[in-house]
């Protein structure tokens, strides 16, 4: 069994990005700007946004975090995004989810200029992903594929089971695994015999948002297990994933931990997407 450290891989990739970004001021006259919008003060979201800001600054990207009140109106939010869309010095716009319940997330996400959609959530980017056209990939799915590739884990021909069907993780990671020629099953809360389905996976990706949901009976001997969960352990209050790590790890060939697994890779891919949006913008005539 080997732990795949997202933290180590992210550190290595951030180092490379920092060297690249260090050349930008001289080459292009400015550095990339990532603007993050957070509405409300959900502790989880605050912590994500802080992590994104810290990582941006680490590699020399200018991060602006705009904090709005929980009761900001949809019209105000749309007006802010329109302003950022028009601002030539803004390369990436990220609206932290979930938004307060009175705001329609789809409308807000769709209002972001496609070329500044560093999350890859805009419907045009989603459509491009499903049509295998060049696009900005959602960060967590992109990070998961990087983790697998960093260990040269074969994907083509393998049986991949993704537990969870969210638009942010489950669906796009399934498509990326399919593009890598895996045989993909998407399982979810309504799947019958979920343990049986999961236990057939060579690669098991878990994004269901339930602490320690995956138990050893759901893991094939020698499987690769990628844990996307970010939960609080109800017993200890500590951060934990969707996989019972201690119990499952001995069965696996490779496994990620929470924290230090997928999370740092998500942030790393966000930085990569921001740099890509910047470069596209500055290289346009
Ligand atoms: N909330 C949970 N994950 C994400 C993410 O990847 N991007 C945004 N914007 N919000 C999130």
């Amino acid at each position: 069994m080997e732990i795949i450290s997202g933290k180590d891989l992210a550190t290595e990739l951030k180092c490379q990005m920092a060297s690249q970004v260090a050349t930008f001021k001289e080459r292009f006259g400015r550095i990339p700007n990532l603007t993050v919008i957070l509405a409300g003060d959900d502790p989880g979201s605050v912590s994500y946004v802080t992590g994104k800001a810290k990582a941006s600054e680490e590699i020399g990207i200018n991060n602006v975090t705009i904090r709005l009140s929980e009761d900001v109106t949809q019209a105000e939010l749309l007006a802010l995004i329109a302003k950022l869309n028009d601002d030539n010095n803004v390369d990436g716009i990220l609206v932290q989810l979930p938004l307060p319940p009175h705001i329609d997330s789809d409308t807000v996400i769709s209002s972001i200029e496609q070329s500044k959609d560093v999350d890859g959530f805009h419907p045009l980017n989603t459509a491009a992903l499903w049509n295998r056209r060049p696009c900005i990939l959602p960060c967590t799915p992109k990070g998961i594929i990087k983790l697998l590739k960093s260990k040269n884990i074969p994907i083509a021909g393998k049986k991949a089971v993704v537990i969870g069907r969210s638009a942010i993780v489950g669906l796009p990671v399934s498509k990326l695994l399919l593009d890598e020629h895996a045989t993909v099953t998407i399982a979810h809360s309504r799947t019958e015999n979920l343990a049986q389905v999961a236990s057939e996976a060579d690669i098991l990706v878990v994004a269901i948002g339930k602490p320690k949901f995956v138990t050893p009976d759901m893991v094939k001997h020698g499987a690769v297990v990628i844990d996307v969960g970010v939960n609080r352990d109800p017993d200890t209050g500590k951060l934990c994933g969707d996989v019972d790590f201690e119990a499952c790890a001995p069965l696996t060939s490779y496994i990620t931990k929470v924290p230090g697994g997928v999370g740092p890779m998500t942030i790393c891919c966000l930085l990569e997407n921001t740099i890509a949006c910047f470069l596209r913008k500055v290289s346009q005539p």
Side-chain angles (χ1 to χ4, degrees):
M1 185 273 290
E2 188 182 331
I3 294 172
I4 316 176
S5 169
K7 187 163 173 258
D8 290 353
L9 179 58
T11 303
E12 191 186 319
L13 295 173
K14 279 193 288 185
C15 240
Q16 294 168 10
M17 286 189 276
S19 317
Q20 188 190 11
V21 173
T23 66
F24 287 171
K25 182 91 186 166
E26 193 176 315
R27 283 162 68 197
F28 307 113
R30 65 178 187 87
I31 57 172
N33 170 290
L34 169 64
T35 298
V36 176
I37 303 172
L38 171 61
D41 45 25
D42 167 70
S45 292
V46 172
S47 142
Y48 286 137
V49 164
T50 312
K52 288 165 186 175
K54 189 169 152 269
S56 304
E57 302 299 339
E58 259 172 43
I59 70 153
I61 287 179
N62 176 25
N63 180 283
V64 177
T65 300
I66 302 176
R67 298 222 23 198
L68 304 171
S69 131
E70 170 87 30
D71 44 41
V72 63
T73 66
Q74 183 163 312
E76 285 166 336
L77 190 50
L78 292 174
L80 172 61
I81 292 171
K83 202 177 98 201
L84 297 171
N85 282 339
D86 287 343
D87 188 337
N88 252 330
N89 288 315
V90 173
D91 301 294
I93 303 169
L94 182 148
V95 178
Q96 185 63 34
L97 301 175
L99 284 166
H102 63 279
I103 292 177
D104 181 52
S105 304
D106 287 344
T107 304
V108 170
I109 300 298
S110 307
S111 79
I112 298 172
E113 168 71 41
Q114 184 194 358
S115 62
K116 297 189 179 189
D117 169 39
V118 283
D119 255 335
F121 293 167
H122 190 286
L124 290 172
N125 279 321
T126 307
L129 164 66
W130 287 92
N131 288 295
R132 297 197 69 175
R133 316 261 318 165
C135 64
I136 302 168
L137 290 177
C139 305
T140 301
K142 184 176 176 181
I144 291 170
I145 300 294
K146 277 188 195 285
L147 282 173
L148 295 172
K149 292 199 166 170
S150 76
K151 295 293 177 187
N152 294 315
I153 292 167
I155 307 176
K158 298 298 175 190
K159 189 153 191 190
V161 174
V162 177
I163 307 183
R165 51 179 161 175
S166 71
I168 293 183
V169 183
L171 290 181
V173 80
S174 300
K175 178 63 167 80
L176 293 184
L177 288 164
L178 189 58
D179 289 348
E180 296 290 338
H181 314 292
T183 301
V184 183
T185 301
I186 306 176
H188 46 80
S189 54
R190 302 277 287 272
T191 299
E192 290 181 359
N193 301 322
L194 181 59
Q196 168 67 29
V197 172
S199 70
E200 287 172 11
D202 300 306
I203 300 169
L204 182 63
V205 178
V206 195
I208 193 159
K210 296 185 182 163
K212 299 188 178 173
F213 178 81
V214 170
T215 44
D217 58 311
M218 299 164 80
V219 178
K220 176 166 145 181
H221 191 83
V224 176
V225 176
I226 306 291
D227 189 349
V228 188
V230 184
N231 312 294
R232 289 275 159 205
D233 186 323
D235 302 324
T236 64
K238 282 204 218 154
L239 208 58
C240 79
D242 290 348
V243 177
D244 183 344
F245 180 85
E246 302 302 333
C248 295
L251 291 170
T252 66
S253 56
Y254 290 96
I255 187 166
T256 62
K257 268 191 127 163
V258 178
V262 173
M265 291 306 296
T266 297
I267 295 192
C268 191
C269 291
L270 170 67
L271 303 174
E272 217 179 80
N273 285 352
T274 306
I275 293 173
C277 290
F278 167 84
L279 286 174
R280 227 175 103 196
K281 202 138 155 317
V282 293
S283 59
Q284 270 164 5

